[in-house]
């Protein structure tokens, strides 16, 4: 037999499991797919409305926000109808927030796998982001209907939209991985996540336009990656002028968050099976 | 090709066990304890950062200085009592957890099977679970597709393959789960105690499959408490004790050594000091095989419960009794030293020995407990041994083993029937 063809595995403390091992991640891509499919199939089992929930959640949020913030609090919406103004931001926000909460809890939820079989652990938070993608696509249909209703159509900026969504996904995965790793050791984070999401929502121009923030503080709000990205997404969908500096700062922040997430996750990964 | 499939060098794994805080004495203390708990654990969080990993008392070595080699195509059995480090070793070899020290080199794809039904989701159908579990265990999806029919046939669940597994009986569930695992084809397979599931017939089928795996030239590491299975499957074996490799070699010899050396289970009780004021005191109680304390038996063997007791004042009608309990603490039977001898005996002060021989033939495989007491029936309790004696029985001779079928009942006596031809049909 050709000895060189036999894969060799070396197990050492702090050695064999470290490093990013992109190749191995690629080898396990089918597992990622099956986990996403599992989560999607299981998600709305035993619910009456099923996939409708994916539409109802952002829709209800939009209605509530429109009533309270649009009509009662009279928050400006850059001269756009408040419903579509808030919905264009709620779409990526919902993706982001459900992404960090499901991936943040994903390791603990899959602890039976972690203690019984080996595979690159990063697959788990990544897969839980996958379910959000489907919800996002379903909710997007509503947006198209709203655009037709209000007669507001995207311009060339729409081509920026996929890139911005990828950046949102990177930020969500970065935060999700950090939270997931923390959650393994300190279950406190299960309770921290909902608060984090709530605070983050108010720190992000979802219900208000970024234009109410004074120009000299604009850079500060963009340190929140979701701020620049959500404003950018709103502009690209509703044919508004695109503010490149905002997108560049927030985009860099989200890539940074993603890198920190990978680094921290990798660092903690070795101990997951022992403490979960 | 002469390189070993697996080389393990000085492997060690240290676990941190939480330090046991003193128990709360009052309710007030319990409340303050709960309130201050967050601060204490916060302090721990920051202290952990400074922890340099030096030897500490709240660390235990689950595995220490384990070295061995396994050749290609070898089937190696691993035995040892609970907590000996078997599972830790398998977890390291299957890369679930990292060793604290040492090194393992493995040549070939490694598959591990530490649990039956890894990744199964009860809401999904049998078909969906085959794919999910298969990919989780490291199969490619086209590999699963290729073996799909074979897996379904092996599990005997053809009719229910599109039904969610939550509607399966536990037997069907186990069969399907094992079928997926049995069709893994790595060069090195690491298997934990998985044969204890399922009915006897399926167990036999699984054993057959495992034997086949071995014959195909794959390397298998196999943990089991089923001594007869492990002897029939493995040529070589290793015995782990307290995290160390105690013996490695011919499987049969290793098993014999394990069964004869087993004294770590509580097979002996010795009373320390005088309890004072008692009329009769049980000094020592032990379970013995051939005059030596032993806690591991085949059911083809027999054991002796030996009780040494002291009578301090003259007693009439005192008896020594033992109760034999199953693992779930049900009483299997009880017996006394006065059974079959109903004269009220008088005991003068002095030291006595009572021996109770027990034939283990009708015992099922499992763990049993013995409680030793002394009393004057219907009058007074004289003495009780607080600790239960523990022993384990391994099956090497029951009808269940020979026929591979399931049987009801707590005990399993081998009863030889009389069977004659009464009227020939000619």
């Amino acid at each position: 037999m050709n000895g060189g063809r036999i894969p060799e595995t070396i197990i050492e403390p702090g050695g064999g499991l470290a490093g990013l091992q992109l190749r191995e991640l690629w080898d396990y891509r089918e597992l990622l797919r099956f986990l996403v499919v599992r989560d999607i199939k299981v998600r709305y089992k035993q619910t009456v409305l099923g996939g409708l929930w994916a539409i109802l959640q952002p829709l209800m949020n939009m209605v509530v926000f429109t009533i309270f913030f649009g009509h009662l609090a009279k928050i400006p919406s850059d001269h756009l109808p408040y419903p579509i103004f808030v919905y264009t931001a709620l779409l990526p926000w919902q993706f982001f927030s459900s992404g960090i909460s499901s991936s943040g809890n994903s390791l603990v939820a899959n602890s039976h796998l972690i203690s019984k079989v080996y595979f690159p652990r990063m697959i788990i938070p990544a897969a839980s982001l996958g379910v959000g993608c489907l919800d996002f696509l379903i909710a997007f249909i509503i947006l198209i209907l709203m655009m037709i209703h209000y007669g507001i159509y995207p311009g060339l900026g729409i081509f920026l939209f996929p890139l911005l969504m990828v950046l949102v996904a990177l930020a969500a995965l970065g935060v999700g991985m950090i939270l997931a790793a923390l959650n393994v050791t300190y279950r406190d984070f299960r309770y921290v996540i909902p608060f984090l999401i709530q605070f983050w929502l108010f720190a992000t121009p979802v219900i208000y336009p970024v234009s109410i923030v004074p120009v000299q503080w604009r850079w500060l709000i963009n340190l929140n990656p979701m701020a620049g990205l959500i404003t950018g997404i709103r502009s690209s969908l509703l044919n508004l002028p695109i503010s490149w500096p905002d997108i560049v700062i927030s985009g860099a922040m989200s890539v940074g968050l993603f890198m920190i997430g990978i680094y921290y996750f990798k660092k903690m990964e070795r101990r997951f099976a022992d403490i979960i | 090709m002469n390189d070993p499939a697996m080389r393990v060098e000085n492997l060690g794994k240290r676990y941190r066990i939480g330090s046991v805080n003193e128990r709360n004495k009052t309710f007030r203390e319990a409340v303050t304890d709960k309130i201050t708990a967050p601060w204490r654990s916060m302090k721990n969080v920051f202290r952990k950062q400074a922890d340099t990993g030096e030897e500490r008392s709240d660390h235990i070595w689950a595995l220490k200085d384990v070295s061995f080699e396994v050749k290609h195509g070898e089937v190696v059995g691993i035995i040892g009592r609970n907590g000996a480090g078997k599972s830790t070793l398998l977890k390291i070899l299957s890369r679930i957890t990292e060793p604290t020290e040492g090194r393992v080199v493995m040549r070939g794809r490694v598959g591990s099977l530490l649990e039956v039904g890894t990744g199964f989701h009860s809401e999904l159908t049998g078909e969906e679970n085959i794919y999910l579990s298969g990919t989780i265990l490291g199969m490619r999806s086209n590999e699963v597709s290729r073996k799909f029919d074979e897996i379904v046939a092996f599990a005997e669940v053809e009719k229910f393959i599109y039904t969610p597994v939550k509607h399966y009986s536990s037997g069907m569930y186990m069969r399907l789960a094992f079928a997926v695992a049995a069709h893994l084809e790595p060069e090195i397979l690491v298997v934990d105690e998985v044969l204890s599931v399922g009915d006897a017939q399926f167990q036999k089928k699984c054993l057959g499959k495992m034997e086949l795996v071995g014959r195909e030239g794959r390397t298998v590491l196999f943990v089991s408490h089923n001594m007869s299975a492990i002897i029939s499957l493995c040529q070589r074996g290793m015995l782990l004790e307290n995290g160390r490799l105690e013996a490695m070699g011919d499987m049969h010899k290793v098993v014999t050594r394990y069964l004869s050396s087993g004294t770590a289970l509580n097979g002996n009780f010795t009373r320390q000091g005088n309890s004072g004021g008692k009329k009769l005191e049980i000094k020592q109680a032990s379970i013995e095989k051939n005059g030596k304390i032993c806690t591991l038996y085949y059911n083809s063997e027999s054991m002796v419960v030996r009780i040494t007791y002291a009578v301090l004042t003259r007693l009439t009608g005192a008896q020594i009794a033992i109760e034999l309990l199953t693992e779930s603490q049900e009483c299997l039977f009880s017996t006394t030293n006065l059974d079959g001898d109903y004269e009220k005996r008088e005991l003068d002060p002095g030291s006595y020995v009572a021996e109770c021989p027990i034939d283990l033939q009708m015992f099922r495989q499992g763990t049993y407990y013995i409680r030793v007491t002394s009393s004057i029936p219907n009058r007074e309790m004289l003495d009780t041994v607080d600790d239960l004696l523990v022993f384990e029985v391994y099956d090497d001779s029951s009808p269940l083993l020979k026929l591979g079928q399931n049987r009801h009942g707590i005990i399993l006596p081998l009863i030889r029937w009389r069977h004659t031809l009464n009227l020939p049909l000619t």
Side-chain angles (χ1 to χ4, degrees):
Chain A
M1 198 188 283
N2 181 0
R5 264 184 48 226
I6 304 173
E8 191 165 278
T9 313
I10 297 173
I11 301 171
E12 275 174 322
L17 300 181
L20 191 48
Q21 293 166 307
L22 282 173
R23 189 175 170 112
E24 193 181 51
L25 274 177
W26 178 246
D27 282 343
Y28 277 88
R29 65 193 181 280
E30 283 183 336
L31 178 58
L32 178 70
R33 198 182 89 211
F34 279 109
L35 286 177
V36 171
V37 170
R38 174 195 74 176
D39 286 347
I40 288 173
K41 277 182 177 158
V42 168
R43 179 116 194 238
Y44 296 115
K45 277 268 162 76
Q46 293 218 345
T47 60
V48 178
L49 296 181
L52 264 184
W53 281 112
I55 297 180
L56 280 176
Q57 280 168 353
L59 207 60
M60 297 302 268
N61 273 338
M62 179 199 74
V63 170
V64 171
F65 287 178
T66 304
I67 292 170
F68 283 92
F69 300 118
H71 289 281
L72 297 176
K74 301 253 182 294
I75 289 177
S77 54
D78 286 346
H79 312 297
L80 287 161
Y82 195 82
I84 198 166
F85 166 84
V86 80
Y87 195 82
T88 46
L90 272 175
L91 266 187
W93 175 258
Q94 198 87 33
F95 175 71
F96 177 76
S97 67
S98 69
I100 61 175
S101 104
S102 63
S103 61
N105 289 312
S106 60
L107 286 178
V108 175
N110 287 290
S111 57
H112 57 287
L113 289 184
I114 288 172
S115 56
K116 290 294 177 194
V117 68
Y118 172 78
F119 53 86
R121 305 310 188 196
M122 229 176 249
I123 300 242
I124 287 185
S128 52
L129 212 63
V131 182
C133 292
L134 183 76
D135 286 354
F136 175 80
L137 290 177
I138 295 173
F140 198 81
I141 298 168
I142 298 283
L143 179 69
I144 295 172
L145 296 177
M146 283 173 79
M147 283 175 166
I148 296 168
H149 175 76
Y150 286 106
I152 302 171
Y153 299 104
L156 276 178
I158 190 71
F159 292 108
L160 201 57
F161 176 68
L163 172 70
L164 292 172
M165 280 312 294
V166 168
L167 288 170
V168 170
L170 289 185
L173 195 53
V175 177
M177 284 192 293
I178 296 171
L179 290 173
L182 284 168
N183 219 341
V184 170
T185 329
Y186 310 109
R187 296 289 149 86
D188 309 56
F189 280 88
R190 195 170 4 160
Y191 308 104
V192 169
I193 292 171
F195 285 111
L196 179 76
I197 289 174
Q198 208 160 31
F199 289 132
W200 206 324
L201 171 65
F202 290 114
T204 306
V206 173
I207 52 176
Y208 56 87
V210 77
S211 58
I212 67 169
V213 179
V215 180
Q216 66 268 36
W217 295 114
R218 202 65 69 75
W219 64 272
L220 190 64
I221 196 170
N222 284 330
L223 289 184
N224 165 10
M226 289 309 286
L229 295 179
I230 282 207
T231 307
I233 284 169
R234 189 181 271 145
S235 308
S236 81
L237 287 174
L238 301 178
N239 203 13
L240 303 172
I242 284 161
S243 162
W244 290 102
D246 294 354
I247 289 176
V248 170
I249 297 173
S250 284
M253 288 305 293
S254 80
V255 171
L257 259 182
F258 178 63
M259 308 282 255
I260 294 170
I262 288 184
Y263 172 76
Y264 185 69
F265 192 89
K266 272 289 169 196
K267 198 172 141 235
M268 302 303 288
E269 189 181 48
R270 309 189 275 123
R271 291 169 47 216
F272 285 167
D274 294 340
I275 50 184
I276 202 160
Chain B
M1 200 58 218
N2 288 325
D3 288 334
M6 186 186 293
R7 186 190 289 128
V8 174
E9 294 160 6
N10 301 316
L11 205 63
K13 173 81 184 175
R14 188 179 58 196
Y15 279 109
R16 218 179 128 245
I17 45 168
S19 53
V20 187
N21 287 326
E22 276 184 44
R23 218 173 280 164
N24 299 304
K25 291 180 197 79
T26 63
F27 177 69
R28 199 174 60 89
E29 278 178 22
V31 172
T32 30
D33 186 61
K34 279 276 176 290
I35 294 170
T36 55
W39 305 109
R40 264 185 287 119
S41 53
M42 292 268 265
K43 249 180 16 204
N44 283 336
V45 171
F46 293 111
R47 208 192 301 143
K48 202 185 289 170
Q49 243 86 58
D51 179 14
T52 46
E54 77 269 25
E55 206 65 41
R56 279 170 44 172
S57 58
D58 56 352
H59 283 151
I60 52 154
W61 287 93
L63 214 59
K64 185 82 176 139
D65 298 328
V66 172
S67 307
F68 61 88
E69 279 188 9
V70 178
K71 291 196 209 68
H72 281 279
E74 242 181 343
V75 182
V76 176
I78 305 173
I79 55 175
R81 62 182 73 258
N82 292 334
K86 303 183 303 275
S87 299
T88 306
L89 177 61
L90 292 197
K91 277 192 173 177
I92 293 172
L93 295 181
S94 46
R95 293 204 288 166
I96 290 163
T97 185
E98 220 178 34
T100 313
E101 56 180 35
R103 182 182 150 96
V104 181
V105 181
M106 290 191 282
R107 296 167 60 79
R109 248 177 89 194
V110 185
S112 66
L113 184 54
L114 302 195
E115 174 198 51
V116 170
T118 310
F120 264 50
H121 198 290
S122 58
E123 295 282 354
L124 300 178
T125 67
E127 184 203 20
E128 288 163 342
N129 270 313
I130 289 177
Y131 278 93
L132 182 63
S133 184
T135 37
I136 285 174
L137 292 173
M139 278 194 256
R140 294 285 160 87
S141 68
N142 55 21
E143 206 178 325
V144 182
S145 306
R146 210 171 59 237
K147 293 182 191 152
F148 185 80
D149 295 332
E150 210 183 315
I151 292 174
V152 176
F154 188 86
E156 304 163 24
V157 292
E158 289 92 340
K159 264 189 261 171
F160 307 97
I161 200 64
Y162 300 111
T163 312
V165 296
K166 67 175 173 183
H167 300 306
Y168 280 29
S169 71
S170 57
M172 279 159 64
Y173 183 93
M174 285 301 169
R175 288 207 301 272
L176 183 64
F178 191 89
V180 178
H183 288 80
L184 276 174
E185 279 181 359
E187 284 94 8
I188 301 174
L189 186 60
V190 176
V191 188
D192 203 349
E193 182 84 271
V194 287
L195 292 172
S196 52
V197 300
D199 54 63
Q201 206 148 8
F202 190 71
Q203 278 189 33
K204 215 174 170 193
K205 197 165 162 182
C206 293
L207 281 176
K209 183 78 190 173
M210 303 277 293
E211 253 179 305
L212 212 67
V213 167
R215 250 184 271 131
E216 278 166 10
R218 252 176 288 158
T219 312
V220 183
L221 256 76
F222 178 49
V223 163
S224 182
H225 284 111
N226 185 338
M227 294 298 141
S228 45
I230 213 164
I231 288 174
S232 73
L233 283 178
C234 313
Q235 309 96 48
R236 283 219 306 157
M238 58 177 104
L239 170 62
L240 287 178
E241 229 171 85
N242 298 323
R244 283 163 199 277
L245 183 60
E246 201 57 34
M248 178 144 191
D250 177 64
M251 190 74 239
H252 214 287
K253 282 188 186 140
V254 173
V255 169
T256 310
R257 173 156 177 191
Y258 173 53
L259 292 183
S260 60
S261 76
T263 53
L265 267 182
N266 222 346
N268 183 33
F269 163 85
T270 310
R271 174 151 280 152
Q272 310 289 329
N274 272 327
S275 56
K278 282 199 175 110
K279 295 175 188 163
L280 184 151
E281 200 172 58
I282 297 166
K283 290 289 185 194
Q284 206 205 2
S286 56
I287 325 176
E288 298 180 358
K289 173 159 71 180
N290 303 329
K292 277 196 288 186
I293 292 168
C294 174
T295 55
L296 301 158
Y297 297 88
Y298 283 121
N299 58 359
S300 57
E301 299 175 322
S302 62
M303 66 177 201
V304 172
V305 185
R306 209 175 126 88
I307 300 150
T308 310
Y309 61 100
V311 176
L312 303 166
T313 53
R314 203 177 149 85
L315 288 169
T316 306
Q319 70 174 21
I320 303 290
I322 63 169
E323 269 175 52
L324 217 136
L325 310 170
T326 63
E327 201 163 11
S328 50
Q329 304 293 315
E330 286 172 289
C331 183
L332 200 60
F333 63 81
S334 52
T335 174
T336 84
N337 66 333
L338 298 187
D339 288 3
D341 176 13
Y342 305 105
E343 299 269 315
K344 287 227 161 131
R345 262 187 299 184
E346 299 218 335
L347 292 175
D348 288 320
S351 180
Y352 294 83
V353 177
E355 284 186 341
C356 171
I358 299 174
D359 185 4
L360 298 172
Q361 182 270 318
M362 65 184 170
F363 281 59
R364 277 176 179 264
Q365 180 160 310
T367 306
Y368 295 89
Y369 300 91
I370 289 177
R371 179 184 288 133
V372 182
T373 56
S374 173
S375 65
I376 302 174
N378 305 322
R379 272 192 50 201
E380 74 180 297
M381 199 69 199
L382 295 168
D383 196 11
T384 309
V385 174
D386 308 317
D387 305 332
L388 298 176
L389 302 174
V390 190
F391 65 99
E392 283 175 19
V393 174
Y394 294 104
D395 190 359
D396 70 341
S397 62
S398 79
L400 185 124
L401 188 81
K402 296 279 189 281
L403 297 171
Q405 49 178 229
N406 206 355
R407 287 284 177 85
H408 294 294
I410 304 166
I411 55 168
L412 196 66
L414 172 59
I415 298 171
R416 292 183 202 285
W417 290 34
R418 277 188 300 274
H419 186 241
T420 44
L421 181 62
N422 208 12
L423 197 70
L425 239 182
T426 36

